[in-house]
């Protein structure tokens, strides 16, 4: 791909000797700080702190944020200088309003070059556009952002219309005109007149959006007598005086509300492409690299720049530390030229990073990245099991979160085996046998040895419901197991967490429960015949693929009780010096490779002891009897560290170990069992990364998410659902007031997240489900501090609305007496428009009467021809039937049908 200089937003050599603006020079170079400037024509104006978070749609802004590595700043950050030795992360954002002029875009591009040069050209640069701001940008403004209409700034007109939306980051956008065309069912609209403020509640808006909009309205209009709440479709129910004023601005005869939000959806792109920037004949060429999954090693040339194409997720420009000043200066312009060449949307984010200063958002796109910045944020799991006693873990939630150990695993457990036909409670045995064909549910009671109530509160839960699915379990079995587990979770009368996982993706605490004695078999052929507690378990003889049913070989994974398990392997095709195996035939053999650790050998010996009297065999010293035992478990010559081997290789019966390197870099085998090995690294060696928090929701059966950078507990709203991605497990946090139609879909939400997150994630990653106020220590430890009483006095949307309704002479549509009476209520009940129930009249899409009276083949797709009436607005329903829907719904079926025929709705 070739890019000419004409296509660049910033052209080469436009700034030969950068002169830094005086406003920038006032910033201490070694300081944690946050600053905002506005580009007004050709001037740079520092914004006062009181205006942070307020923007004008025909202006451009520059935001500079500096924080200690791994920490975050926001609009409330106070500037403080730090020692030169402190590693600071620097970010420069330039924000472009949707009506900004070409001149201002050019001016801001030059100004960021000045600011960047002041900080030695190492800052991360973000190009932001209105409505498409990055997660980092939005995270600076915890209270949300307000965007004013530039054409109204100097107007004497007081009447204004605003769109309000955003589950996490509230956006309040001033509209250029007061018109129905700006209304949407997904929005809350604020109509501000000279005397009153109207809050119009879109039926598809969320409760948290409604709550935040009412709070915003209360800030603007402190006199509750001048605040009116209007429900979507109930406009005719306003008191006559208010309705007359509303009609002067928004005639109800012209009412038209868009059912689907015009906010563009960002397509998900998990396939990243890398291009290397090269200059040939003084023209920039982008040469695409042949990579499937990008790695850090793909950026092999520090003297040039690379383009990482993530489409809607952003175009990243990575500039090598040895690259020329021109490459660093022109990177953003080259990124914009790339966007134009690929015909991507104008709003596509463009971000420039410099080698050695990559932010977390960039690093996590590469699962194998191991940079210094990464190390600061990714603590390895400790391997000293002795420290992980229940007392320590309940007192130190950060250690619990780091290790993902809730307690020491010694609590009481009940295990249920789920088969196609039944649920069987398994007896208690020293060894626990699972098969890949079934699912299992474990009901575990958490241990807290402390008598201190505060320690017990720190643990957070009393019980865990685990669901484990074998890799070969049928969908019917896994669904049955999920229903059984969820029923235990939903009906629990104590603080409980639900964790769903698959074979290969077990969590540390799950494995810790079995103390390294979990044995996963390929079929029920190998299940123990007797269920007593002795160590000599006999094997059922059902046969598997014709090999001796009394024989089996187990590969032992892990080196500690919280990452260990034994897995049956058949056929045995390879053995490496780093591995340990247990072979059971007429005798039990424990084979340990020369490079295996002492801890791994001890775990293997424990497994061997469970199967009977065992003998330890070290690599290179195997007796003939050992090779005779494994012969019938092989379907080919055994591979030992890359060298073919058979039992007759040497005259003394010992194995001939070659000096060739292992088959792959991690020493795992490449035979039939590789599908297990490739995905079953013990938890302690999986890449650990900084946990990420996302607000998640479903709207019209589509999944949406917003990331929250620099999160803390205050970012969790009881009216929302969140995903905390901790790498080895993905937590779903359910707020107390999450809508009922979202709450039942929590497993789907987690799966949607795993499938759409723009980094490589396994769809079988373990999922933990947590209710508000039932947070375990392994979850709370990801937050800097945790206040168990934070939500004790939380006021949700319904409560807040009723409080507003009961204010002095406050007007809420349908009532005017200033007391907390039902709003458009029926029989003393609050209307469903307030309760926000998925199954009620107000949750259906609404259409004009004439559209619903059409022939069946002309009706909108989601309209049931036999239930057209539920797609009318309340006002239209009353105008046709002279009664509310709730009165109509109580009529006999024959009477309903008669009325619908009369009005051509049947």
């Amino acid at each position: 791909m070739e890019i000419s200089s004409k296509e660049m937003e910033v052209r080469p050599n436009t700034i030969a000797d950068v002169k830094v603006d005086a406003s920038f020079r006032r910033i201490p170079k070694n300081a944690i700080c946050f600053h905002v400037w506005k580009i007004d024509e050709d001037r740079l104006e520092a914004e006062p702190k009181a205006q942070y978070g307020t923007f004008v749609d025909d202006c451009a802004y520059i935001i500079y944020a500096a924080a200690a590595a791994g920490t975050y700043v926001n609009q409330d950050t106070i500037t403080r200088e730090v020692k030169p030795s402190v590693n600071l992360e620097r970010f420069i954002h330039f924000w472009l309003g949707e009506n900004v002029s070409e001149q201002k875009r050019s001016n801001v591009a030059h100004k960021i070059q000045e600011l960047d040069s002041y900080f030695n050209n190492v800052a991360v640069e973000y190009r932001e556009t209105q409505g498409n701001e990055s997660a980092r940008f939005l995270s600076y403004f915890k209270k949300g952002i307000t965007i004013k209409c530039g054409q109204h700034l100097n107007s004497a007109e007081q009447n204004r219309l605003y769109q309000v939306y955003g589950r996490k980051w509230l956006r309040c956008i001033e509209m250029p005109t007061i018109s129905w065309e700006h209304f949407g069912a997904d929005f809350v609209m604020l109509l501000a007149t000279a005397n009153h403020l109207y809050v119009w509640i879109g039926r598809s808006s969320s409760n948290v959006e409604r709550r935040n909009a009412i709070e915003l309205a209360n800030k603007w209009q402190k006199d509750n007598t001048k605040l009116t709440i209007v429900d979507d479709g109930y406009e005719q129910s306003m008191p006559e005086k208010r309705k007359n004023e509303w009609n002067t601005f928004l005639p109800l005869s012209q009412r038209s509300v868009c059912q689907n939000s015009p906010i563009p959806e960002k397509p998900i792109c998990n396939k990243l492409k890398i291009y290397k920037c090269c200059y040939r004949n003084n023209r920039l060429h982008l040469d695409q690299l042949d990579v499937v999954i990008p790695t850090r090693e793909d950026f092999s040339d520090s003297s040039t720049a690379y383009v990482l194409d993530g489409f809607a997720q952003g175009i990243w420009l990575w500039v090598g530390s040895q690259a020329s000043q021109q490459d660093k200066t022109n990177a953003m312009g080259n990124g914009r030229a790339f966007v134009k060449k690929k015909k991507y949307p104008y709003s596509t984010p463009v971000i420039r990073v410099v080698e050695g200063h990559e932010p977390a958002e960039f690093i996590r796109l590469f699962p194998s990245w191991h940079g210094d910045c990464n190390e600061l944020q990714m603590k390895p799991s400790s391997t000293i099991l002795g420290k992980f006693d229940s007392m320590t873990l309940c007192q130190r939630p950060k250690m619990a979160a780091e290790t993902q150990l809730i307690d020491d695993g010694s609590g009481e457990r009940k295990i249920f085996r789920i088969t196609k036909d039944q649920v069987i409670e398994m007896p208690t045995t020293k060894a626990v046998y699972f098969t890949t064909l079934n699912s299992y549910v474990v009901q575990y009671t958490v241990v807290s040895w402390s008598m201190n109530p505060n320690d017990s509160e720190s643990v957070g839960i009393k019980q865990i419901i685990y669901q484990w699915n074998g890799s070969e379990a049928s969908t019917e079995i896994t669904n049955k197991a999920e229903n059984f587990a969820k029923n235990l979770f939903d009906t629990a009368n104590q603080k409980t967490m639900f964790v769903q996982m698959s074979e290969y993706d077990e969590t540390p605490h799950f494995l810790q429960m079995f103390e390294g004695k979990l044995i996963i078999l390929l079929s029920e052929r190998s299940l123990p015949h007797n269920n007593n507690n002795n160590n000599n378990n006999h094997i059922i003889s059902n046969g598997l693929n014709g090999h001796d049913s009394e024989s089996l070989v187990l590969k032992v994974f892990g080196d500690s009780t919280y990452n260990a398990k034994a897995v049956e392997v058949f056929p045995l095709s390879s053995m490496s010096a780093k591995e340990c195996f247990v072979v059971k035939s007429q005798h039990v053999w424990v084979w340990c490779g020369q490079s295996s650790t002492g801890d791994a050998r001890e775990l293997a010996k424990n497994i061997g002891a469970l199967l009977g009297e065992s003998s330890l065999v070290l690599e290179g010293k195997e007796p003939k009897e050992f090779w005779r035992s494994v012969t019938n478990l092989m379907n080919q010559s055994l591979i030992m560290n890359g060298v073919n081997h058979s039992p007759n290789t040497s005259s003394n019966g010992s194995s001939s170990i070659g000096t060739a390197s292992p088959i792959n870099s991690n020493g795992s085998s490449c035979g039939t069992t590789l599908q297990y090995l490739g995905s079953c690294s013990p938890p302690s060696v999986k890449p650990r990364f900084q946990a990420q928090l996302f607000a998640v929701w479903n709207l019209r059966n589509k999944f949406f998410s917003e990331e929250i950078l620099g999160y803390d507990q205050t970012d969790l709203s009881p009216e929302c659902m969140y995903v905390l991605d901790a790498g080895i497990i993905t937590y779903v946090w359910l707020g107390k007031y999450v809508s009922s139609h979202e709450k039942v879909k929590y497993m789907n939400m987690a799966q949607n997240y795993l499938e759409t997150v723009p980094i490589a994630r396994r769809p079988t990653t373990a999922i933990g489900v947590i209710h508000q106020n039932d947070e375990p220590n392994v979850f709370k430890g990801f937050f800097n501090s945790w206040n168990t009483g934070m939500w004790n006095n939380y006021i949700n949307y319904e409560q807040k609305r009723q409080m507003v309704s009961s204010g002095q002479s406050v007007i809420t549509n349908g009532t005017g007496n200033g007391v907390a009476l039902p709003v458009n209520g029926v029989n003393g009940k609050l209307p469903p428009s307030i309760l926000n129930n998925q199954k009620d009249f107000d949750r259906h899409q609404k259409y004009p009467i004439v559209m619903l009276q059409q022939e069946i083949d002309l009706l909108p797709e989601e309209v049931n021809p036999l239930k057209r009436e539920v797609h009318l607005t309340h006002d239209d329903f009353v105008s046709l039937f002279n009664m509310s829907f709730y009165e109509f719904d109580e009529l006999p079926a024959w009477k309903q049908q008669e009325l619908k025929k009369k009005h051509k709705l049947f």
Side-chain angles (χ1 to χ4, degrees):
M1 179 186 296
E2 181 181 338
I3 295 179
S4 67
S5 60
K6 292 182 179 180
E7 295 174 291
M8 299 180 187
E9 199 164 74
V10 181
R11 301 181 183 181
N13 304 319
T14 52
I15 302 180
D17 183 19
V18 178
K19 183 178 180 181
V20 178
D21 192 286
S23 295
F24 299 149
R25 292 200 300 270
R26 297 191 187 101
I27 304 172
K29 286 196 172 184
N30 294 305
I32 294 171
C33 58
F34 183 83
H35 297 278
V36 180
W37 297 270
K38 180 170 70 172
I39 301 291
D40 194 355
E41 298 308 329
D42 58 349
R43 301 190 309 280
L44 182 71
E45 297 180 357
E47 288 281 273
K49 270 191 173 292
Q51 292 298 311
Y52 285 3
T54 299
F55 304 91
V56 181
D57 66 3
D58 62 358
C59 290
Y61 292 80
I62 295 175
I63 293 89
Y64 171 70
T71 66
Y72 296 85
V73 296
N74 57 48
Q75 66 182 67
D76 298 321
T77 296
I78 298 173
T79 300
R80 62 183 187 277
E81 293 196 49
V82 294
K83 296 179 179 179
S85 58
V86 174
N87 182 21
L88 291 179
E89 292 182 324
R90 306 178 191 274
F91 298 89
I92 298 173
H93 305 254
F94 63 102
W95 183 91
L96 304 173
E98 65 178 11
N99 297 318
V100 68
S101 66
E102 184 67 37
Q103 181 61 48
K104 290 181 181 178
R105 282 204 299 267
S106 176
N107 288 345
V108 76
H110 285 78
K111 285 298 179 183
I112 63 166
Q113 288 185 0
E114 293 181 29
L115 182 57
D116 189 36
S117 68
Y118 180 64
F119 293 109
N120 300 318
N121 300 104
V122 297
V124 180
E125 294 181 1
Y126 281 81
R127 181 183 186 274
E128 313 275 2
T129 57
Q130 180 178 333
N132 296 275
E133 295 85 0
S134 67
R136 182 173 289 274
F137 179 93
L138 293 171
S139 295
Y140 296 141
F141 307 101
K142 294 279 188 178
K143 300 172 185 175
I145 61 175
T146 298
I147 300 177
K148 294 186 175 180
C149 182
Q151 70 186 52
H152 292 164
L153 281 183
N154 299 317
S155 171
E157 179 62 50
Q158 298 182 36
N159 305 311
R160 298 282 190 272
L161 179 66
Y162 301 86
Q163 271 182 2
V164 179
Y165 64 93
R167 301 279 178 131
K168 174 53 192 171
W169 309 117
L170 190 69
R171 297 168 174 87
C172 179
I173 317 296
E174 184 179 1
M175 299 292 100
T177 59
I178 298 178
S179 168
W180 282 108
E181 67 177 312
H182 304 301
F183 280 65
D186 295 346
F187 300 134
V188 176
M189 306 295 294
L190 301 181
L191 173 62
T193 69
N195 300 314
H196 293 90
L197 180 58
Y198 297 84
V199 182
W200 182 90
I201 308 291
R203 68 170 44 81
S204 300
S205 60
S206 68
N207 277 357
V208 70
E209 290 171 312
R210 301 172 182 188
R211 180 184 185 276
N212 291 339
I214 290 177
E215 284 193 342
L216 182 62
N218 279 328
K219 290 180 182 178
W220 291 2
Q221 180 55 268
K222 298 186 182 301
D223 184 354
N224 282 342
T225 64
K226 297 182 178 181
L227 181 62
T228 302
I229 299 178
V230 186
D231 287 300
D232 180 3
Y234 289 79
E235 293 84 4
Q236 296 286 356
S237 301
M238 277 188 284
E240 202 64 28
K241 185 177 179 181
R242 297 288 177 264
K243 185 165 63 173
N244 290 339
E245 183 181 37
W246 179 278
N247 264 309
T248 61
F249 297 101
L250 295 160
L252 293 176
S253 60
Q254 301 173 16
R255 183 186 186 280
S256 175
V257 175
C258 177
Q259 296 303 311
N260 297 329
S261 167
I263 301 171
E265 298 177 16
K266 293 184 178 180
I268 299 300
C269 176
N270 290 337
K271 295 181 179 179
L272 304 175
K273 299 177 181 178
I274 296 183
Y275 300 83
K276 184 177 182 179
C277 297
C278 303
Y279 286 94
R280 292 192 287 271
N281 298 322
N282 293 323
R283 298 181 74 86
L284 176 62
H285 292 262
L286 300 182
D287 298 331
Q288 185 174 349
L289 305 185
D290 185 17
V291 297
V292 178
I293 300 178
T295 65
R296 185 184 184 182
E297 287 67 34
D298 293 320
F299 304 115
S300 57
D301 189 351
S302 294
S303 64
T304 188
Y306 292 81
V307 176
L308 181 65
D309 182 4
F311 187 37
Q313 276 66 47
I315 304 300
W316 295 83
L317 282 300
W318 182 91
V319 185
S321 58
Q322 304 301 316
S324 66
Q325 182 67 31
Q326 178 179 320
D327 282 338
K328 294 178 180 179
T329 301
N330 293 338
M332 292 298 285
N334 292 340
R336 281 296 301 150
F338 180 86
V339 169
K340 294 176 184 176
K341 198 79 174 180
K342 299 282 283 186
K343 296 183 179 179
Y344 290 165
Y346 169 82
S347 58
T348 301
V350 178
I351 311 102
R352 186 210 72 176
V353 300
V354 177
E355 182 179 10
H357 301 272
E358 298 89 350
E361 301 96 299
F362 182 80
I363 288 174
R364 66 180 180 227
L365 295 174
F366 305 85
S368 60
W369 191 286
H370 297 292
D372 293 337
C373 176
N374 206 25
E375 292 300 322
L376 289 170
Q377 301 172 5
M378 304 178 191
K379 298 178 180 179
S381 242
S382 173
T383 57
I384 306 174
L385 183 60
K387 292 183 178 179
F388 299 149
D389 60 272
S390 295
M391 180 75 77
T392 301
L393 291 167
C394 77
Q395 294 175 342
R396 298 176 63 183
K398 287 192 181 300
M399 174 181 283
E402 179 185 337
T403 60
Q404 281 303 291
L405 294 175
I406 295 169
D407 60 12
D408 62 7
S410 62
E412 179 184 348
R413 66 175 188 251
K414 291 182 180 179
I415 304 176
F416 302 90
R417 182 160 61 99
I418 315 297
T419 66
K420 184 177 181 180
D421 303 317
Q422 55 188 335
V423 175
I424 305 167
E425 183 173 353
M426 298 173 63
T428 302
T429 57
K430 289 185 177 179
V432 177
Y433 295 88
F434 286 179
T435 74
T436 63
L437 299 173
N438 292 326
S439 293
Y440 297 80
V441 173
V442 182
Q443 191 173 10
Y444 177 80
T445 302
V446 176
V447 174
S448 177
W449 297 109
S450 174
M451 300 300 292
N452 187 334
N454 291 333
D455 290 341
S456 180
E457 185 71 32
S458 177
V459 174
I461 55 174
K462 303 289 187 182
Q463 181 180 239
I464 308 171
I465 307 298
Y466 283 110
Q467 178 194 349
W468 182 94
N469 296 323
S471 60
E472 300 298 325
S474 67
T475 302
E476 181 181 359
I477 289 178
T478 58
N479 288 342
K480 185 176 180 180
E482 181 173 318
N483 291 335
F484 179 71
K486 287 173 70 174
N487 182 62
L488 290 176
F489 176 57
D490 294 336
T491 58
N493 57 4
Q494 55 185 332
K495 293 175 177 289
T496 303
M497 175 173 68
F498 171 39
V499 179
Q500 184 184 78
M501 71 189 75
S502 297
E503 187 178 354
Y504 319 143
D505 289 285
E506 295 88 355
T507 62
H509 183 262
F510 180 81
L511 295 175
Q512 175 66 26
M513 289 192 303
F514 306 110
E515 298 180 310
K517 298 171 184 175
L518 174 63
I519 299 174
I520 301 173
L521 304 172
L522 294 177
S523 75
E524 296 184 7
R525 167 199 67 83
S526 302
L527 284 175
H529 179 64
N530 63 329
N531 294 319
N532 57 26
N533 276 344
N534 64 38
N535 290 339
N536 299 309
N537 290 313
H538 301 290
I539 305 298
I540 292 177
S541 298
N542 291 335
L544 177 67
N545 295 336
H547 84 273
D548 182 2
S549 61
E550 290 290 330
S551 301
L552 76 158
V553 58
L554 301 174
K555 180 174 181 179
V556 180
F557 289 88
D559 55 6
S560 186
T561 52
Y562 59 84
N563 63 20
K565 59 189 172 184
V567 182
E568 183 178 5
V569 177
F570 180 81
L572 178 63
S573 56
S574 62
M575 301 172 77
S576 111
K578 296 181 180 180
E579 298 170 336
C580 293
F581 290 85
V582 175
V583 179
K584 182 184 187 332
S585 56
Q586 299 302 316
H587 185 68
V588 178
W589 305 92
V590 178
W591 182 91
C592 299
Q594 289 179 345
S595 301
S596 60
T597 65
D599 290 338
R601 295 180 184 186
E602 286 301 314
L603 289 167
K605 287 193 288 185
N606 290 341
I607 293 293
L610 294 171
L611 300 181
E613 185 176 348
S614 61
S615 299
L616 179 65
V617 177
L618 297 178
E619 181 184 1
K621 298 180 180 180
E622 300 90 344
K624 292 180 181 180
E625 290 80 6
F626 171 78
W627 291 119
R628 293 194 186 102
S629 297
V630 300
T631 298
N632 66 332
L633 297 170
M634 299 184 293
N635 65 351
Q636 60 183 21
S637 297
L638 186 65
I639 303 294
M640 299 291 292
N641 287 326
V643 178
N644 281 342
H645 176 76
S646 67
N648 299 320
T649 299
S650 59
S651 59
N652 62 4
S654 64
S655 62
S656 59
I657 304 300
T659 57
S661 62
I663 295 174
N664 59 32
S665 60
N666 64 9
S668 62
S669 60
C670 292
T672 309
T673 61
L674 186 58
Q675 64 176 16
Y676 199 101
L677 304 179
S679 57
C680 190
S681 299
S684 62
V685 300
K686 286 187 177 181
R688 299 181 64 84
F689 58 90
Q690 185 181 33
Q692 299 168 246
L693 182 67
F694 296 82
V696 297
W697 66 95
N698 269 329
L699 185 62
R700 292 182 292 277
N701 295 320
K702 293 184 179 179
F703 174 78
F704 295 86
S705 66
E706 281 190 317
E707 185 178 4
I708 305 164
L709 291 175
Y711 62 84
D712 56 36
Q713 188 185 354
T714 61
D715 289 306
L716 300 174
S717 168
E719 292 175 279
C720 290
M721 186 183 303
Y722 297 84
V723 163
L724 180 73
D725 188 345
I728 197 171
I729 184 170
T730 296
Y731 288 105
V732 178
W733 186 87
L734 302 175
K736 181 179 179 179
Y737 302 110
V738 170
S739 62
S740 57
H741 68 282
E742 285 189 329
K743 187 174 290 187
V744 297
K745 297 181 179 180
Y746 54 78
M747 294 307 294
N748 290 340
M749 299 281 246
Q751 285 298 328
N752 285 335
Y753 166 78
L754 291 172
E755 292 167 6
T756 59
V757 65
I759 55 177
R761 294 306 309 278
R762 287 170 52 79
T764 54
T765 297
I767 297 169
V769 185
I770 300 166
H771 284 126
Q772 178 188 330
N773 297 324
D774 294 346
E775 297 86 2
N777 50 0
V778 289
F779 178 87
K780 292 185 287 191
F782 286 110
F783 296 78
N784 287 331
S785 60
W786 190 269
N787 177 6
T788 56
M790 174 169 289
W791 299 297
N792 288 349
N793 299 315
Y794 183 82
I795 300 173
N796 66 18
Y797 164 66
E798 288 88 355
Q799 295 167 336
K800 184 171 286 290
R801 176 158 178 164
Q802 290 184 64
M803 289 173 64
V804 171
S805 301
S806 62
Q808 284 294 323
S809 302
V810 67
I811 300 295
T812 303
N813 61 311
T815 63
N817 50 15
V819 295
L821 293 177
V823 184
N824 299 318
V826 178
N827 297 327
K829 298 179 180 178
L830 285 173
S833 58
I834 294 180
L835 298 179
N836 200 20
N837 187 330
Q838 170 67 17
K839 297 180 180 179
D840 67 48
F841 172 75
D842 286 288
R843 294 296 301 181
H844 293 281
Q845 295 274 24
K846 303 301 180 182
Y847 297 97
I849 295 174
V850 293
M851 183 178 294
L852 296 172
Q853 291 174 333
Q854 298 178 110
E855 297 296 327
I856 291 179
D857 57 345
L858 298 176
L859 290 174
E861 183 179 350
E862 65 270 20
V863 173
N864 182 344
L866 300 180
K867 296 289 291 183
R868 305 184 198 202
E869 70 278 7
V870 300
H871 295 283
L872 291 166
T873 67
H874 166 78
D875 292 343
D876 285 344
F877 196 100
V878 172
S879 71
L880 277 181
F881 295 96
N882 292 317
M883 67 182 78
S884 73
F885 171 80
Y886 312 104
E887 294 170 313
F888 173 86
D889 200 40
E890 294 177 355
L891 296 175
W894 67 266
K895 183 64 173 177
Q896 292 183 15
Q897 186 171 327
E898 186 178 272
L899 289 172
K900 289 195 289 184
K901 286 181 178 179
K902 176 182 176 181
H903 298 293
K904 302 178 182 179
L905 292 174
F906 188 80

